[in-house]
Amino acid sequence: MAQQFGLGRRKFLVYGSAALGTSLLIKGCAPATETGGGGQTPAAGGDTIKVGILHSLSGTMAISEKSVVDATQLAIEQINQAGGVLGKQIEPILEDGASDWPTFAEKATKLIDQDKVVAVFGCWTSASRKAVLPVFEAKNHMLWYPVQYEGQECSKNIFYTGAAPNQQIEPAVDWLLQNKGKKFFLVGSDYVFPRTANTIIKAQLAAKGGETVGEDYLPLGNTEVTPIITRIRNALPDGGVIFNTLNGDSNVAFFKQLQGAGLTPDKYPTMSVSIAEEEVQAIGVEYLKGHYAAWNYFMTVDTPENKAFVEAFKAKYGQNRVTNDPMEAAYIAVNLWKQAVEQAGTADDLEKVRQAAIGQTFNAPEGPVKMFPNHHISKTVRIGEVGDDGLFKIVYSTPQPVDPLPWNQFVAETKGFACDWTRTDVDNPGKFKAAGA
């Protein structure tokens, strides 16, 4: 299992090359055919409503993304069993992004142009999302993206059901400052998500009286963590906070060697934002017990909706399976889309569906969520401590859901900017200076 965990969540992301590969691919795409203001002509006119599921079923990301596919298919199955959408069954068309970012763009194009889907649920890595974004924008189509991410993006063509940084990273920093210490060492994999996250964390610490005593990165997949652990010990000889945005094999090596070096959670509490229930099982509970993670959903959330979700998931896929945050966010996405289609009275007119999606609410397993005009949802923030059973004991939860802010308010370049796709009085509703900013 630990070996499988090496197939990490954003592994082999080379942001620049992914963007370049996508731009070359998009140049070869045919122009979009407009229909009803919604873009490429979709197909909901038959006996079914076609949707795409686009995740890695093979390659380095399959270990993480297959579970998200399972949750997506569970939501579709439940909706179909309850009568479907607008009297029609949802027909999912599953494509394999193969952990290759240009392949994601190719498959997105196929789903839209050939299969005529009305929406796509998919992507995990920021690399895959960045790769398909030009496809959905050029064709004026619709992607539902289920994973927490680095923010600093707001697209008319994407609905984000994972956390923005102010719904995960920033509250985690606040909690650590109040409960664990002021001195932080930042450890991350060397690509866009950790680097952007750490830019936000450094600005937040500077604003709130914390101190960044060190910052270090490992190439994705690199397991040579001993030098970083040595630097942590030197920078924090008396203990302090470690904020972890490592991914993949690096986490296995990091937590094992952290414990081996005597940097235990009582003096060196580590907060992770990419380790969930499945990863705890893969790394080993004995190495993670007492450390922390920040998410919006844990399997241990005590709501009737979560009890039903977990029971249904285990009934379908096996009693030994666990649920996690990206899976729950994918489940939310399908249900919010279904409600938007029903309100719009059509699945074909994507512009009407987009407009209807804003303001949708859903009693999710994590608690109530609402889709905002910036195409992100409100989310309850939770911090969990790894227990003996490998599940998370929730030690902190916001009293109510937190509104999403895709443009970060600690980073100087985006402070004061907002996104609101209902605005008609600004040149760029996706990024404009908010009143009073």
Side-chain angles (χ1 to χ4, degrees):
M1 192 68 175
Q3 183 179 3
Q4 281 187 315
F5 177 67
L7 313 178
R9 65 171 305 199
R10 291 181 170 97
K11 197 170 182 182
F12 302 134
L13 167 55
V14 182
Y15 177 78
S17 62
L20 175 60
T22 305
S23 67
L24 294 174
L25 176 69
I26 299 307
K27 289 178 182 177
C29 293
T33 301
E34 297 294 334
T35 176
Q40 200 73 13
T41 306
D47 295 330
T48 63
I49 296 176
K50 293 181 181 180
V51 301
I53 302 176
L54 178 56
H55 279 289
S56 295
L57 306 177
S58 61
T60 187
M61 287 305 304
I63 188 65
S64 293
E65 296 192 56
K66 282 181 177 179
S67 294
V68 180
V69 171
D70 290 344
T72 305
Q73 291 179 320
L74 173 64
I76 291 171
E77 179 181 279
Q78 289 178 334
I79 292 168
N80 282 341
Q81 289 175 347
V85 183
L86 301 180
K88 298 181 181 181
Q89 296 284 286
I90 304 170
E91 178 186 348
I93 299 174
L94 185 58
E95 287 291 347
D96 181 9
S99 305
D100 177 72
W101 322 138
T103 298
F104 266 88
E106 293 170 5
K107 296 296 188 178
T109 302
K110 173 196 175 285
L111 286 167
I112 296 169
D113 288 349
Q114 295 181 30
D115 299 309
K116 309 295 186 183
V117 300
V118 297
V120 176
F121 301 94
C123 298
W124 177 300
T125 66
S126 290
S128 61
R129 190 191 71 256
K130 294 287 189 184
V132 303
L133 178 57
V135 175
F136 285 91
E137 291 189 337
K139 298 177 181 296
N140 200 19
H141 216 274
M142 183 186 299
L143 171 71
W144 291 76
Y145 177 66
V147 184
Q148 54 87 277
Y149 80 120
E150 68 277 6
Q152 307 299 62
E153 178 181 293
C154 194
S155 173
K156 175 185 176 184
N157 299 92
I158 299 180
F159 288 92
Y160 309 76
T161 57
N166 77 300
Q167 298 169 311
Q168 184 197 32
I169 293 169
E170 293 172 30
V173 170
D174 285 340
W175 184 84
L176 289 165
L177 285 171
Q178 294 168 14
N179 295 280
K180 296 297 177 180
K182 304 292 187 183
K183 294 183 177 182
F184 283 55
F185 196 104
L186 312 181
V187 180
S189 298
D190 194 6
Y191 70 100
V192 63
F193 171 71
R195 285 193 174 273
T196 304
N198 286 340
T199 297
I200 292 167
I201 291 168
K202 287 184 290 184
Q204 185 178 356
L205 289 174
K208 297 201 168 186
E211 180 183 357
T212 305
V213 300
E215 178 181 3
D216 215 335
Y217 297 90
L218 276 177
L220 280 157
N222 190 303
T223 59
E224 296 298 322
V225 299
T226 302
I228 286 183
I229 290 174
T230 299
R231 285 190 279 273
I232 292 172
R233 187 194 293 277
N234 291 338
L236 294 169
D238 301 317
V241 174
I242 302 169
F243 204 103
N244 171 38
T245 52
L246 290 170
N247 289 277
D249 286 341
S250 303
N251 267 317
V252 181
F254 179 72
F255 279 102
K256 287 183 177 181
Q257 293 190 35
L258 197 68
Q259 184 183 95
L263 276 62
T264 51
D266 55 329
K267 289 186 66 178
Y268 293 89
T270 299
M271 178 69 73
S272 299
V273 291
S274 297
I275 290 178
E277 285 82 350
E278 285 190 316
E279 286 81 5
V280 173
Q281 289 187 343
I283 296 170
V285 177
E286 64 271 28
Y287 301 108
L288 281 159
K289 180 185 174 183
H291 289 294
Y292 300 90
W295 290 102
N296 308 104
Y297 168 87
F298 292 108
M299 189 171 170
T300 49
V301 167
D302 186 15
T303 65
E305 292 80 9
N306 187 45
K307 181 180 179 181
F309 173 60
V310 172
E311 287 180 353
F313 189 85
K314 285 177 173 287
K316 182 172 174 63
Y317 297 110
Q319 293 301 311
N320 63 332
R321 293 291 300 275
V322 295
T323 56
N324 65 28
D325 187 287
M327 294 161 64
E328 190 252 2
Y331 184 82
I332 289 172
V334 177
N335 281 281
L336 288 177
W337 167 82
K338 175 249 190 189
Q339 292 177 191
V341 168
E342 290 178 333
Q343 181 173 315
T346 175
D348 291 324
D349 191 326
L350 304 191
E351 188 59 37
K352 286 185 179 179
V353 176
R354 271 192 288 268
Q355 292 173 7
I358 294 171
Q360 291 295 332
T361 61
F362 179 62
N363 288 325
E366 71 180 63
V369 300
K370 178 181 178 180
M371 181 62 69
F372 274 63
N374 57 25
H375 288 190
H376 294 66
I377 63 174
S378 57
K379 297 180 78 71
T380 300
V381 182
R382 295 180 170 93
I383 292 171
E385 179 181 356
V386 180
D388 292 327
D389 58 359
L391 299 178
F392 288 89
K393 175 187 176 184
I394 297 170
V395 297
Y396 169 78
S397 178
T398 53
Q400 60 271 327
V402 175
D403 296 351
L405 296 174
W407 298 114
N408 192 264
Q409 301 303 299
F410 286 106
V411 176
E413 291 78 10
T414 52
K415 182 177 177 60
F417 282 93
C419 171
D420 183 339
W421 291 107
T422 66
R423 292 286 292 269
T424 59
D425 59 333
V426 293
D427 292 335
N428 179 13
K431 187 180 182 183
F432 61 92
K433 202 77 170 178

